């Protein structure tokens, strides 16, 4: 089994990768360098998106300002002053400079150290705190190793061992938060009802405080690509992200689930807590 086969078996690629196709020669001309073959395979199979809601893969294609291989000017004008004081590497296109191919949810940067031929470029984790960590492997091997627990990173932390790794292609999403009354059932019972109403679902992680009074459960729907977070309390709420075209289907199924849970919807808000008069109110998040 090749490294590519291993990653595909571990993390299923999306059926329709986003910003995954384009003119590689033109992209390399803009960057003034060839790019590693394993990265090209990653882009073509997975496209722009995120592994395990944490590692974000960038591509050189598309028009989004949030995608692309960044900081190609060779200076530190975009780097915070605190990072410059302990910056051990130049930036691409300076010889041997860092070239960013990904980021994380914590604003860490995933880079190549562009020394030698592209196939030999190691991965450098450049943390949001300005620290560095080098891994002698390519981008595909690094993602594969991090996702299956073989590659450990003191700066990124490790993949949760009990979760099956996944990939989400970037796409426009609407965000809603339903704040709920407590209802007569305990949280585990309400969570079970919620997941059964939206089945099939798959785990995306969970946490609880020591006394069990606070925490959240994250999961995703398998067939409809909705992502949910159910908070235990303070406040008691369900947060959901979904493709905007599913808005009515989400409203119908989610409100029916809340009723089965024995709860009432007290308030509808955006992800940042802005109150909405109705579920269908358009927001800037969509």
């Amino acid at each position: 089994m090749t490294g590519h086969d291993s990653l595909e078996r571990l993390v299923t690629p999306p059926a329709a990768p986003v910003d995954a196709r384009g003119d590689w020669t033109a992209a390399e001309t803009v960057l003034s360098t060839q790019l590693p073959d394993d990265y090209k395979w990653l882009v073509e199979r997975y496209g722009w998106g995120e592994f395990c809601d944490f590692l974000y893969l960038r591509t050189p294609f598309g028009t989004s300002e949030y995608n692309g291989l960044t900081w190609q000017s060779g200076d530190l004008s975009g780097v915070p002053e605190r990072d410059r004081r302990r910056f051990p590497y130049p930036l691409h296109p300076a010889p041997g400079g860092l070239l960013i191919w990904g980021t994380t949810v914590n604003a860490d940067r995933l880079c190549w150290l562009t020394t030698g031929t592209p196939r030999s470029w190691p991965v450098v984790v450049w943390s949001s705190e300005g620290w560095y960590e080098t891994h002698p492997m390519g981008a595909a091997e690094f993602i594969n190793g991090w996702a299956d627990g073989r590659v450990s990173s003191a700066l990124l932390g490790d993949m949760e061992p009990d979760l099956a790794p996944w990939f989400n292609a970037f796409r426009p999403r609407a965000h809603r938060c339903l704040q709920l009354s407590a209802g007569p059932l305990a949280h585990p019972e309400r969570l079970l009802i919620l997941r059964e109403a939206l089945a099939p679902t798959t785990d995306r992680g969970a946490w609880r405080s020591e006394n069990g009074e606070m925490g959240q459960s994250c999961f995703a729907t398998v067939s409809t690509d909705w992502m949910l977070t159910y908070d235990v309390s303070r406040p008691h709420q369900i947060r959901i992200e979904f493709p905007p075209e599913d808005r009515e289907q989400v409203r119908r199924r989610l409100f029916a689930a809340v009723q089965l849970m024995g709860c009432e919807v007290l308030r509808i808000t955006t992800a940042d807590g802005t109150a909405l008069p109705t579920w269908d109110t358009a927001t800037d998040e969509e």
Side-chain angles (χ1 to χ4, degrees):
M1 183 187 301
T2 68
H4 294 172
D5 293 335
S6 176
L7 181 56
E8 283 194 284
R9 288 177 60 124
L10 182 68
V11 184
T12 302
V18 176
D19 291 350
R21 296 289 187 272
D23 187 335
W24 283 107
T25 299
E28 291 172 329
T29 298
V30 170
L31 291 166
S32 301
T33 182
Q34 292 184 324
L35 294 169
D37 288 340
D38 74 313
Y39 169 73
K40 293 179 181 179
W41 175 86
L42 269 175
V43 167
E44 291 170 356
R45 294 298 290 129
Y46 291 90
W48 181 32
E50 56 190 19
F51 288 87
C52 309
D53 292 344
F54 187 75
L55 298 184
Y56 298 166
L57 176 65
R58 293 172 174 265
T59 85
F61 307 127
T63 59
S64 173
E65 62 180 305
Y66 302 108
N67 195 13
L69 305 186
T70 57
W71 283 341
Q72 300 143 19
S73 62
D75 62 50
L76 301 180
S77 59
V79 182
E81 181 62 34
R82 67 180 184 183
D83 288 8
R84 298 188 203 185
R85 290 193 293 270
R86 50 178 178 259
F87 197 83
Y89 304 111
L91 293 173
H92 181 79
L98 292 181
L99 178 58
I100 298 171
W101 56 266
T103 56
T104 76
V105 70
N106 294 328
D108 310 302
R109 300 107 174 173
L110 306 174
C111 316
W112 291 294
L113 184 60
T114 57
T115 56
T117 62
R119 67 180 300 174
S120 67
W121 289 351
V123 168
V124 174
V125 177
W126 176 9
S127 81
S128 58
E129 300 299 322
W131 303 107
Y132 300 85
E133 182 181 81
T134 302
H135 297 265
M137 61 191 69
E141 185 179 353
F142 177 80
I143 290 173
N144 192 10
W146 179 85
D148 73 5
R150 291 182 295 104
V151 172
S152 183
S153 169
L155 297 180
L156 300 183
D158 298 329
M159 172 67 183
E160 292 188 44
D162 296 332
L163 294 181
W166 67 92
F167 181 85
N168 289 326
F170 274 113
R171 60 191 300 188
R173 291 184 182 273
H175 302 74
R176 292 292 185 272
C177 177
L178 302 185
Q179 295 185 5
L180 309 176
S181 63
L185 303 177
H187 176 79
E189 295 175 86
R190 297 193 304 259
L191 175 60
L192 179 61
I193 291 170
L194 176 62
R195 293 192 62 161
E196 288 180 343
L198 300 177
T201 66
T202 184
D203 288 335
R204 292 292 186 256
W207 69 272
R208 293 289 184 276
S209 61
E210 291 186 5
N211 62 14
E213 293 182 358
M214 298 183 66
Q216 56 187 209
S217 299
C218 301
F219 62 95
T221 59
V222 173
S223 56
T224 52
D225 194 24
W226 306 341
M227 296 183 286
L228 295 96
T229 299
Y230 182 30
D231 294 307
V232 174
S233 62
R234 301 181 185 177
H236 176 211
Q237 61 186 10
I238 299 171
R239 287 173 282 164
I240 186 167
E241 302 177 26
F242 55 91
E245 60 269 22
D246 291 353
R247 184 185 289 107
E248 178 54 28
Q249 183 185 6
V250 173
R251 183 199 63 77
R252 178 169 41 82
R253 293 185 63 186
L254 191 56
F255 276 66
V258 169
Q259 186 174 23
L260 291 172
M261 293 160 63
C263 302
E264 294 182 6
V265 176
L266 303 178
R267 192 167 181 248
I268 303 173
T269 75
T270 62
D272 64 5
T274 302
L276 299 175
T278 70
W279 171 269
D280 293 319
T281 303
T283 73
D284 292 337
E285 296 178 340
E286 300 173 18

